[in-house]
Amino acid sequence: MPLNNVDGGGPVPELVPSAAPGAGTQSLVVLDHVDKWFGELHVLQDINLSVKRGEVVVVIGPSGSGKSTLCRAINRLETIDHGSIALDGVPLPQEGKELANLRAEVGMVFQSFNLFSHKTILENVTLGPIRVRGLKRADAERRARELLDRVGVGQQAEKYPAQLSGGQQQRVAIARALAMNPKVMLFDEPTSALDPEMIAEVLEVMVDLAKQGMTMVVVTHEMGFARTAGDRVVFMCDGAVVEEATPDEFFTSPRSDRAKDFLGKILNH
């Protein structure tokens, strides 16, 4: 399911935010000394992380390490208690219209598909562009149909979510996020609720996005995706970033004992 033009004429440019000169060196997402508590539990501990424009950062680690909280904090679905998060040089506002506008620049794909069950697939994908971006319905529907075609579910546009498989629903969720023309895409364990045979079809869409230069932060347990599509692996444990490295460096020569133990358990399982 490559995200190519329907006629096979190469990648679809509008899926990818236009890159500025020297895009590969510009930080699009910056977390600076971020802390987060749930009661007495320190779930994010002094997180410093920058994601460059066009970079794919894969966040991995044991359950309860703070990965999903980190992902959700980037568009303030989770508030933070200390530090700052900036998107494209603009600090995330606390609330209100400014936050809604900035959040529209961040596509989010969740573990659960979060589609509106009473709306058709087409309506799910067009809702945000019409209400938030102010697109005319005809333009939003044309864009939605293009995206649904490109993630391989164009024939399902008039159906309702319950009529689709889990893998199809997750691809719709990706199309819905892309319809907003986001600057960055966040994926919070997007395959963990899927049956094994459905995981590959969703990962294929994500790999194609990565190849096209979409800036992505991906929380996942799929080590194959981390190896092949990631530019950088961020390993978290107990709320802290323990180490960062290229996929090759991390999987062949992890530096910390925690990472070695983690890899030993999952790669030999």
Side-chain angles (χ1 to χ4, degrees):
M1 260 160 302
L3 295 178
N4 288 341
N5 289 316
V6 176
D7 61 5
V12 184
E14 64 266 32
L15 285 184
V16 184
S18 57
T25 61
Q26 296 179 348
S27 292
L28 183 61
V29 180
V30 178
L31 291 83
D32 184 30
H33 295 290
V34 169
D35 284 280
K36 167 74 177 177
W37 282 266
F38 287 136
E40 295 184 359
L41 183 62
H42 199 177
V43 290
L44 295 178
Q45 301 184 27
D46 195 30
I47 303 294
N48 293 285
L49 180 66
S50 294
V51 181
K52 296 176 182 176
R53 200 177 302 271
E55 186 179 23
V56 178
V57 173
V58 182
V59 184
I60 65 175
S63 297
S65 58
K67 306 183 302 294
S68 291
T69 303
L70 172 71
C71 192
R72 292 169 64 86
I74 292 176
N75 67 347
R76 212 175 280 284
L77 287 174
E78 294 285 359
T79 58
I80 59 175
D81 297 306
H82 180 265
S84 65
I85 302 175
L87 174 66
D88 208 4
V90 179
L92 290 187
Q94 292 293 328
E95 57 187 15
K97 188 174 181 180
E98 287 186 352
L99 176 58
N101 290 339
L102 200 62
R103 191 178 277 159
E105 306 292 342
V106 183
M108 185 93 186
V109 179
F110 300 88
Q111 177 176 340
S112 54
F113 320 124
N114 289 354
L115 300 176
F116 291 108
S117 61
H118 63 290
K119 293 185 179 294
T120 67
I121 296 308
L122 185 64
E123 289 169 339
N124 267 277
V125 179
T126 58
L127 185 63
I130 291 171
R131 290 193 177 181
V132 179
R133 295 293 196 193
L135 262 65
K136 294 180 180 178
R137 182 172 300 277
D139 293 335
E141 289 187 354
R142 181 170 58 252
R143 169 75 170 151
R145 290 186 185 278
E146 290 174 356
L147 288 168
L148 290 171
D149 279 340
R150 288 160 189 162
V151 298
V153 289
Q155 299 301 314
Q156 316 298 330
E158 310 305 329
K159 293 183 179 180
Y160 289 87
Q163 296 175 280
L164 273 60
S165 70
Q168 288 173 324
Q169 289 187 61
Q170 194 61 296
R171 283 183 278 154
V172 171
I174 293 172
R176 177 182 59 184
L178 290 171
M180 297 293 287
N181 283 322
K183 293 180 178 179
V184 58
M185 289 278 286
L186 309 177
F187 293 85
D188 185 11
E189 300 193 12
T191 60
S192 61
L194 299 177
D195 293 332
E197 64 269 21
M198 297 176 184
I199 291 174
E201 63 188 54
V202 173
L203 290 177
E204 187 176 357
V205 173
M206 294 169 62
V207 169
D208 284 329
L209 281 177
K211 289 178 179 177
Q212 291 177 29
M214 173 63 74
T215 307
M216 298 163 64
V217 178
V218 183
V219 173
T220 185
H221 293 290
E222 298 295 333
M223 296 301 108
F225 177 86
R227 283 177 181 269
T228 60
D231 295 307
R232 182 159 40 116
V233 172
V234 173
F235 176 71
M236 292 187 68
C237 191
D238 298 327
V241 172
V242 177
E243 64 179 278
E244 302 177 46
T246 66
D248 184 59
E249 291 170 337
F250 180 77
F251 286 105
T252 58
S253 303
R255 298 186 303 272
S256 67
D257 290 338
R258 285 177 173 178
K260 291 174 184 176
D261 181 62
F262 174 78
L263 289 175
K265 288 177 178 176
I266 63 166
L267 297 181
N268 295 324
H269 181 66

